[in-house]
Amino acid sequence: EWPLRPGVDGATNQEIKVGALVAFNWENQGNWPPHYGAILGAAEEYVRNKAIVRGNTGSDYDLKVEPLDDGCVPKDGIIAVVKAMNTSTSERVKGFIGPGCSEVCKNTAYIASKEGFDVPMISYACTLDNLSNKKEYSTFARTVGSAGSNAAPVIRIIKYMRWERVGIIYRSLGLYEEAAANLKSDIETELDKDEESKELFPEGFKVVCFKVWYYNTNDEGSEQMKNKTAEDIRKECKDEVRVFIILGYDADVIDFLRLAFHDESFPFTETAFITLEVTVSTVTEETKDYTRGLISLVPKSPENDIFINLTESVRKKKKVPTATLR
């Protein structure tokens, strides 16, 4: 762990300890995911302001962050969270930042909200619809919308572009299977009921090529399976549709686009792709060729004065250091 704000000499320090749930096995192991810098900076600003509000201006609050490995696996996340909460008072965390994986959120957020713990958890990436249930997840909050809330912008784009058919491709994980089914149902229901849709699509609207992209990263031969199943989807769908909505982690989306881009038999330049997870920071020099035409519906940061002032104050602070994950 490392202090985000070192104590001031001669000050009485009060430590606020936060557990940062992150998968240590990420490709950028050893570095904080880009989202963490902004969240931790905002947390630091909050702690400083809280001290002033309480009148404790003679004290300095240390915000200490303890990296916790959730492995992007539900079981590992549960172990990490319970361990962090079920310890001596001095060592116990006061809250969690993360997880970044929805499958981990489902169980850890439930445990953190239970009586006896009541520990806040703020995720920047968990999109499962049922996490919005405040009876079950009373201390959970997130800085992104739920998967179900993404239907509205997709429908607006479909109407604007007058696409009569779209395909939905989704990764073989429970959260994306649920999100894909809900998205398909919401789009078809909405585009079948109003007069505007009947005028836009006189021959009707259809979701065609509703396909699961199956592979398990823990299986031997995963890379071959991923490539083969993606190839099968492209072969089956390339003559049916020219618009695809891809549901999966950002790395999954990038992988699918990379494989399609290098497939000479697939009409890549004539095809539109929509995703709900790929951020600007994900696009690199290496990936820019096959993400150039991607429509990404990642929520935009608000532009109100409170957010702008907070963001500016965070930017002025010393750069968030790289954490030593151990």
Side-chain angles (χ1 to χ4, degrees):
E1 78 185 37
W2 46 269
L4 193 65
R5 296 185 67 232
V8 178
D9 290 339
T12 304
N13 295 321
Q14 181 173 341
E15 177 180 302
I16 296 179
K17 191 172 185 180
V18 175
L21 291 158
V22 59
F24 290 9
N25 58 358
W26 284 6
E27 194 174 329
N28 60 339
Q29 182 173 355
N31 293 322
W32 285 105
H35 313 74
Y36 273 107
I39 294 175
L40 292 176
E44 178 193 9
E45 181 73 4
Y46 173 79
V47 168
R48 187 182 69 80
N49 288 335
K50 194 87 168 176
I52 294 171
V53 169
R54 288 176 175 169
N56 296 328
T57 50
S59 300
D60 184 46
Y61 280 64
D62 280 349
L63 181 63
K64 289 197 172 181
V65 180
E66 181 177 357
L68 304 171
D69 186 8
D70 65 36
C72 206
V73 176
K75 181 186 73 174
D76 293 349
I78 292 170
I79 292 170
V81 164
V82 171
K83 226 175 182 181
M85 295 190 299
N86 196 21
T87 183
S88 63
T89 305
S90 60
E91 291 296 312
R92 192 174 302 153
V93 299
K94 303 296 192 296
F96 294 100
I97 294 172
C101 300
S102 290
E103 289 292 298
V104 178
C105 265
K106 185 165 58 176
N107 296 311
T108 55
Y110 181 80
I111 293 169
S113 68
K114 291 302 101 182
E115 191 175 346
F117 290 131
D118 292 316
V119 176
M121 179 179 286
I122 303 173
S123 170
Y124 63 83
C126 291
T127 57
L128 278 175
D129 286 333
N130 60 1
L131 289 169
S132 298
N133 183 344
K134 285 301 177 186
K135 288 184 180 178
E136 295 291 328
Y137 303 99
S138 58
T139 63
F140 178 77
R142 50 187 165 187
T143 59
V144 294
S146 67
S149 68
N150 290 312
V154 172
I155 290 167
R156 285 199 292 273
I157 291 173
I158 290 171
K159 283 183 172 182
Y160 182 81
M161 300 300 294
R162 299 198 176 195
W163 287 325
E164 295 179 347
R165 296 186 296 176
V166 301
I168 297 178
I169 300 165
Y170 57 96
R171 170 77 192 277
S172 56
L173 283 174
L175 70 139
Y176 292 119
E177 291 165 5
E178 176 189 333
N182 291 341
L183 185 63
K184 180 177 184 292
S185 173
D186 290 346
I187 291 173
E188 289 182 329
T189 301
E190 181 67 26
L191 294 179
D192 185 49
K193 71 179 185 182
D194 62 3
E195 290 302 317
E196 182 190 10
S197 296
K198 289 174 184 175
E199 288 180 19
L200 292 173
F201 312 112
E203 296 182 17
F205 170 85
K206 269 188 178 181
V207 172
V208 297
C209 196
F210 185 71
K211 300 288 183 183
V212 57
W213 184 18
Y214 179 78
Y215 70 94
N216 187 337
T217 52
N218 297 318
D219 286 349
E220 192 175 340
S222 170
E223 193 67 22
Q224 291 86 344
M225 182 186 294
K226 176 170 67 174
N227 294 349
K228 178 68 171 63
T229 53
E231 182 183 1
D232 290 343
I233 291 172
R234 294 196 303 274
K235 279 181 179 176
E236 289 180 44
C237 299
K238 66 181 181 181
D239 295 326
E240 285 190 66
V241 66
R242 287 290 183 272
V243 182
F244 293 96
I245 301 165
I246 309 177
L247 301 180
Y249 291 127
D250 53 0
D252 299 326
V253 176
I254 296 292
D255 261 353
F256 191 90
L257 294 175
R258 174 180 58 81
L259 293 168
F261 179 78
H262 292 293
D263 181 352
E264 293 182 1
S265 68
F266 185 80
F268 188 86
T269 57
E270 301 169 21
T271 306
F273 298 95
I274 301 174
T275 180
L276 310 173
E277 300 226 10
V278 175
T279 62
V280 173
S281 61
T282 311
V283 179
T284 64
E285 192 66 28
E286 182 187 350
T287 66
K288 68 179 183 182
D289 285 341
Y290 40 91
T291 55
R292 189 173 286 124
L294 178 66
I295 301 170
S296 184
L297 300 181
V298 175
K300 185 182 177 185
S301 298
E303 295 181 353
N304 57 57
D305 290 343
I306 293 175
F307 185 85
I308 291 170
N309 292 339
L310 177 60
T311 303
E312 192 56 36
S313 67
V314 170
R315 281 178 182 153
K316 288 177 181 176
K317 295 181 183 299
K318 189 166 69 172
K319 188 178 178 181
V320 176
T322 299
T324 301
L325 302 182
R326 50 187 170 84

